[in-house]
Every structure is written in structure tokens, then in C-alpha cells.
Amino acid sequence: MLDTQKISDRYIAELPYLMGYEPKESVVAFWLHADSTMSFAQRADISDVLEDTSNFVTVGDHNPRTAALILIYSDKTPSELWDFALELGDTIEENDITVFDILKVNGSEYSTFFLPRDDLDTQGVFTVDAKVISDIKNKYKDKEVGADRDSLMANYGCANSYPHFDERMESIVDFSDAVDDFIDAYEAYPDYSGSDYQFLVSLSVLLHNIKVRDEILIQINSLDREGIDRAIGLASEILRVTPKEHSAPIYTVTAIMAWIKGNGALANMLIDTALEATPDYNLAILIQVALRTGMSPSYWREVISEL
């Protein structure tokens, strides 16, 4: 097993800066890739992962994943989370990804689930090294960390009430800049900084504008198979930062790409997830009907090409 005490200090200290806020009651995954790099992959509410652990493994990752470090942020004791942690670890390993450690994090303290169960709450509690915290703060000295996800999302029109979202979208007369943001991100992927959380959130928000979304679908329609793979990779980055309640547009767009690529099973799963988030999302309903009736994706391409 890797020396997780050394690497965990760094990633626990750095995560709030990568995300822009302090995670609460969350599950976070760091993937170790075949090229020996490690990246922050995704965050989800514990309640959502409890409902279906299989959905936690992100689709479309461009860089093969060999192992995972899982951080569970919670005020609960490790013993209370034991069964959940084991089920999550088993699910990840079923996808041929080795789980080299699962940690329960609360503030700067963490403990490992790889200890015997009887010792979980009394032994193996570590504290992030103060020097590591200082080094990370210095690295991100110009970046603010919000207190919670909702305050960060509100800045991008993604809060529950969408306080500035409608006004912001109505002000877009020429939405070419919005489309250009997607094109620039697509062309740079996977070499751009996938940890640019706020930029990815802004892309997710823009998909709530139907004109922007439809123009993106037109652009996707012109891609070849390799281009679709790249676009799905970018979409997976956007998915990991999008709250479930606001995820219908990005899940639907990703489902369409999976459908075009010929992966109907994945497309169905993504559409189901989109409709769980927003049951009356019209495009998702349309695609669900197309999938269930066996419509060929070539027909979709033909329709979109005429727009």
C-alpha cells in the first residue's frame, strides 16, 4: 500500500482550493493515472452516493485510471461510515481501479478505513502537517475559499433560486462568447487545467441557456468519433462540478454524445439521471423516447445538420 499519510496531507490541504469551498458531508475521489499523475476527479454528496454507489465512478476519463484515493468528509464517526466505505470501495474496484486507501476527513484530521474495524474510532487518527498547510496556503495565496458550495454556486447563477441567472442570460444578445468558451475548452482538453473549478461551473451554467445548448449540439454534430471521445471527456469534467439539481442539461448533452457514439446503455443511464434531476426537462424527454423506440442516432445527426 502507498504511504497515504504523506500524500493525503497534501491533497486534504489542497482540495478546498481546487474546489473553491470546504466540502461537507461529501465523497471526493482522487484518481491515480497510468502516467503516475494524480488528479482531483469528482465530488458528490454522501446522500447521493448512498443511493447508488455505481454512479460515483465518472465516465469518459481521458487518462486511464489505475488507483483511487477516496476522501469521505463527514462529522460521523468512521464506524458509522464503515459499511458505506466498503461498498464504495468494492464498486470502484469492480471498475478495475485499485482503491489504495479510503479516508474519513473532518477538518485537518483524518483516519483510514484500512484499520481493523474495532480500532477505527480510537487509533490511526492523523493530523495534516502544519507545514503542508502553510505551503498550500502560500501556493494559493491569491485564491479565496468559500465556506460552502451554495455560496460559490450563487456567484455563477447556480444557487437554488438562480438569483442572477435569468437576468444574465437575457442580457446575452450575441452568445458567441459563450459558445467560444466551450470551443476553447474542447480544443485545449485534456491539456487545460481540469482543476479550474469555477470555469467548469460557468460552462455548466451556460448550458441552461437553450440557444447556447443547441449551438453546442450543432458543433458536436460535426465531430468525428475521436472528437466525440474528447467532448465526452470534457463533459465528465463539467459533470463532476455540477450539483445534481442543476445537472439535467449537461447530462442530456453527454447522453446525446454517448448515443451518437453508439453506446446506448450509457446514453440511457445518463438520460435517466437527467430526468431524476429535472423530470420535465424537454430535451431529455425527447431523447429518452428516441432511445426507447430504437431510433438510430444517424436520424438525430440528420435533423441537427438541417438546423
Side-chain angles (χ1 to χ4, degrees):
M1 187 175 73
L2 295 179
D3 185 352
T4 55
Q5 187 170 358
K6 289 184 179 179
I7 64 172
S8 297
D9 279 16
R10 172 194 164 189
Y11 288 110
I12 292 171
E14 190 165 14
L15 182 66
Y17 296 94
L18 296 177
M19 296 183 66
Y21 67 93
E22 298 277 358
K24 304 290 184 183
E25 298 303 316
S26 301
V27 182
V28 174
F30 282 93
W31 298 137
L32 180 67
H33 302 288
D35 60 3
S36 297
T37 60
M38 181 173 266
S39 65
F40 163 49
Q42 62 195 113
R43 186 220 66 88
D45 293 340
I46 289 178
S47 58
D48 289 340
V49 182
L50 276 168
E51 290 181 9
D52 188 355
T53 56
S54 62
N55 280 338
F56 188 67
V57 180
T58 304
V59 299
D61 198 331
H62 68 278
N63 195 347
R65 296 162 290 179
T66 60
L69 169 65
I70 305 300
L71 309 180
I72 301 177
Y73 287 79
S74 178
D75 292 332
K76 295 181 179 179
T77 66
S79 289
E80 291 176 297
L81 295 166
W82 172 269
D83 291 337
F84 166 63
L86 290 187
E87 180 183 355
L88 178 58
D90 287 344
T91 301
I92 293 172
E93 293 199 328
E94 286 172 2
N95 288 269
D96 297 324
I97 301 169
T98 300
V99 178
F100 63 78
D101 212 345
I102 302 177
L103 306 175
K104 203 285 287 193
V105 185
N106 189 353
S108 61
E109 288 190 347
Y110 61 96
S111 53
T112 174
F113 285 96
F114 280 24
L115 290 172
R117 185 172 188 175
D118 292 342
D119 298 328
L120 278 174
D121 297 329
T122 59
Q123 298 180 16
V125 177
F126 309 100
T127 301
V128 178
D129 186 272
K131 184 179 185 305
V132 174
I133 294 176
S134 176
D135 290 344
I136 295 297
K137 283 184 176 179
N138 185 60
K139 177 180 177 181
Y140 293 96
K141 58 185 176 182
D142 297 324
K143 188 167 184 176
E144 296 182 1
V145 176
D148 54 52
R149 181 185 67 189
D150 290 340
S151 64
L152 177 66
M153 294 299 173
N155 294 331
Y156 290 88
C158 238
N160 291 337
S161 61
Y162 286 90
H164 308 297
F165 182 76
D166 293 334
E167 175 185 349
R168 186 170 163 204
M169 287 306 170
E170 287 174 3
S171 69
I172 298 179
V173 178
D174 179 1
F175 58 87
S176 60
D177 287 345
V179 176
D180 284 346
D181 280 347
F182 276 94
I183 294 174
D184 290 345
Y186 166 79
E187 291 179 346
Y189 185 84
D191 296 327
Y192 82 107
S193 175
S195 62
D196 193 344
Y197 183 88
Q198 295 181 345
F199 175 64
L200 292 171
V201 169
S202 72
L203 294 182
S204 184
V205 171
L206 288 171
L207 284 178
H208 284 263
N209 179 281
I210 294 176
K211 290 183 178 179
V212 174
R213 181 203 68 192
D214 289 353
E215 179 60 29
I216 296 303
L217 289 173
I218 291 172
Q219 297 287 334
I220 289 171
N221 200 49
S222 65
L223 298 176
D224 58 17
R225 189 175 183 85
E226 182 179 346
I228 293 290
D229 283 339
R230 175 184 285 190
I232 290 176
L234 175 60
S236 72
E237 295 278 356
I238 299 172
L239 280 169
R240 69 175 171 81
V241 302
T242 304
K244 183 177 180 180
E245 62 268 27
H246 305 306
S247 63
I250 181 59
Y251 269 111
T252 303
V253 170
T254 310
I256 290 171
M257 291 190 288
W259 182 34
I260 290 173
K261 189 181 174 185
N263 192 338
L266 176 58
N268 273 293
M269 183 192 76
L270 293 168
I271 282 296
D272 287 346
T273 306
L275 290 172
E276 286 176 8
T278 308
D280 60 350
Y281 191 62
N282 290 334
L283 181 58
I285 294 172
L286 175 66
I287 299 302
Q288 185 183 62
V289 171
L291 289 167
R292 289 183 175 179
T293 57
M295 183 182 294
S296 170
S298 61
Y299 179 75
W300 168 266
R301 280 186 175 270
E302 182 180 341
V303 171
I304 293 296
S305 66
E306 295 176 357
L307 296 179

